[in-house]
């Protein structure tokens, strides 16, 4: 979700995480902001995230390089907080 008043994360359909950013989808700014927000909420370095698919679309697939052992627990904590 881009260019709105809300910025944050929420869980969507199973296996997905919705990341909303205020930046517009111009020149990759929204994608960069979404990756930065994802890194922040997962508490991983931004350089550990790699966009696998969806550079020009709303839906993105992101890989976490060298994920921390508790990544699943971090996602569960995010899910429980919503």
């Amino acid at each position: 979700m881009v260019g709105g008043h809300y910025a944050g994360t929420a869980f969507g359909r199973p296996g997905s995480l919705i990341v909303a950013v205020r930046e517009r989808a111009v020149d990759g700014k929204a994608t960069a902001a979404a990756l930065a927000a994802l890194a922040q909420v997962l508490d991983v370095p931004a350089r550990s995230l790699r966009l696998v698919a969806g550079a020009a679309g709303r839906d993105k697939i992101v890989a976490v390089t060298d994920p921390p052992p508790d990544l699943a627990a971090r996602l569960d904590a995010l899910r429980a907080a919503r």
Side-chain angles (χ1 to χ4, degrees), residues 3-29:
H5 296 287
Y6 170 79
T9 59
F11 280 89
R13 58 187 180 265
S16 68
L17 177 67
I18 297 170
V19 178
V21 297
R22 291 189 176 105
E23 289 76 1
R24 296 276 178 200
V26 177
D27 298 326
K29 290 179 184 175

Side-chain angles (χ1 to χ4, degrees), residues 9 12 19 24 26 28 30 33-34 36 39 45 47 60 70 78-79 82:
T9 59
V19 178
R24 296 276 178 200
V26 177
R47 68 181 178 278
K60 315 263 184 234
D70 66 339
L78 280 172
R79 188 175 290 112
R82 302 291 170 208

